[in-house]
Amino acid sequence: MTDTDTDTETTDSSAVDTGDAELRHFLEVDDLSREELLAVLDRAAAYKGAQARGDDHEDLEGQTLGMIFQKPSTRTRVSFETGMTHLGGHAIFLGADDIQLGRGEPLKDTSRTLSRYVDAVMGRVFKHDNIEVLAQYASVPIVNGLTDDAHPCQTLADLQTIREHEDGFDDVSAAWIGDGNNVAQSFAIGAALTGIDLTIATPEGYGIDDAVLERARSLGGEPTVTTDPIDAVADADVVYTDVWISMGQEDERDVRMDDFEGFQVNDGLLAHAPDASVMHCLPAHRGEEITDDVVEGDRSIVFDQAENRLHAQKALLSWLLE
């Protein structure tokens, strides 16, 4: 799901200190401690239950979320905007061409200006440096809605989904199959924080960053890395995949299709994981990284993941803004 671009601003040491010791950002999954992560997931479950019962939960009444989109989205935009409505607040869509950012205004100026107007900012941006610049100059919480390096909000929904279907995280094993992209990297950190036993199977040259693996290990995780998808899914409770060819990688299509041969999540691969549920963060390229039959099959929990973006993000926003 990673998208590539060359538009980058770098951080510098001249950012103004807001003096607010309580200001928290969510740029990476491990910006939360294990205890905080579990508390957010508890809150997500409570919001999901409240919504199902029709109970009022307008915990952010009168508050506004600014949403910067340098990249298009379905799930990110709709889940955040709907979530703020459910919480009694308001969300403003800010496409790059709709604000001065698209006319060359520095991110640091956009960040400082928006901080005077809104209560929090979600950014779906290109380079990870860009979200860090927004956070460096902001005086309100910044949420990473996706960068080329990380997708922590997706991981919150993934963990909520696994927790629901596995009745917790104890003795849960997961296999990531395919590209070691931003979703994989955030999921590796989330698995480490929650104690999920993770095996990552990617073709040679497509693995997740070594620094991410080291972070996962420093958090108590012991991710296994392999190039054999069959070995990876053996005894897995969850099999997770994502697209092989993301926006910005279209010119690599022929090479990637060859390199990822054998990594499709299909009935043949899942025969080696007879009890596993199947996850995909969407959008899916059906017939490439996953078959249509698997997405639509009884083992798919793909759309539970998609729904849980809403509940997990509501929990995150209320936790950051309470």
Side-chain angles (χ1 to χ4, degrees), residues 146-164:
L146 180 143
T147 68
D148 287 348
D149 291 348
H151 199 353
C153 288
Q154 179 64 54
T155 297
L156 292 182
D158 297 340
L159 295 175
Q160 182 181 359
T161 306
I162 291 171
R163 196 186 201 188
E164 290 172 349

Side-chain angles (χ1 to χ4, degrees), residues 132-255:
E132 291 177 337
V133 168
L134 286 171
Q136 183 178 4
Y137 288 91
S139 54
V140 297
I142 302 295
V143 174
N144 179 1
L146 180 143
T147 68
D148 287 348
D149 291 348
H151 199 353
C153 288
Q154 179 64 54
T155 297
L156 292 182
D158 297 340
L159 295 175
Q160 182 181 359
T161 306
I162 291 171
R163 196 186 201 188
E164 290 172 349
H165 284 269
E166 298 296 328
D167 195 26
F169 298 116
D170 291 344
D171 300 318
V172 173
S173 61
W176 176 273
I177 308 298
D179 192 14
N181 60 14
N182 49 2
V183 178
Q185 296 195 148
S186 288
F187 185 68
I189 299 300
L193 282 168
T194 52
I196 294 172
D197 182 13
L198 177 63
T199 301
I200 303 161
T202 67
E204 200 71 52
Y206 292 94
I208 71 175
D209 192 274
D210 286 343
V212 174
L213 291 174
E214 287 305 312
R215 275 170 54 210
R217 292 177 182 124
S218 73
L219 294 166
E222 297 181 3
T224 300
V225 177
T226 181
T227 57
D228 184 345
I230 292 176
D231 182 61
V233 302
D235 301 320
D237 298 302
V238 175
V239 174
Y240 195 173
T241 192
D242 191 12
V243 296
W244 298 338
I245 304 158
S246 298
M247 286 186 292
Q249 298 173 336
E250 289 82 2
D251 59 345
E252 303 173 24
R253 180 178 181 81
D254 291 344
V255 172

Side-chain angles (χ1 to χ4, degrees), residues 256-275:
R256 282 176 170 262
M257 289 299 290
D258 288 340
D259 289 347
F260 283 90
E261 185 176 356
F263 283 80
Q264 185 184 73
V265 176
N266 54 33
D267 288 338
L269 182 63
L270 292 175
H272 300 276
D275 299 320

Side-chain angles (χ1 to χ4, degrees), residues 43 47 59-60 313-322:
R43 188 173 299 198
Y47 279 140
D59 296 337
L60 297 183
Q313 288 162 185
K314 285 159 66 172
L316 174 69
L317 288 170
S318 68
W319 185 84
L320 287 171
L321 290 170
E322 67 180 3

Side-chain angles (χ1 to χ4, degrees), residues 110-119 121 137-140 142:
T110 298
S111 180
R112 286 182 287 200
T113 301
L114 288 178
S115 293
R116 305 294 183 97
Y117 300 146
V118 302
D119 300 285
V121 174
Y137 288 91
S139 54
V140 297
I142 302 295

Side-chain angles (χ1 to χ4, degrees), residues 100-128:
Q100 294 301 321
L101 189 63
R103 299 177 179 85
E105 180 175 59
L107 276 166
K108 60 185 179 182
D109 291 358
T110 298
S111 180
R112 286 182 287 200
T113 301
L114 288 178
S115 293
R116 305 294 183 97
Y117 300 146
V118 302
D119 300 285
V121 174
M122 185 280 296
R124 184 177 172 92
V125 299
F126 292 109
K127 300 298 184 181
H128 197 76

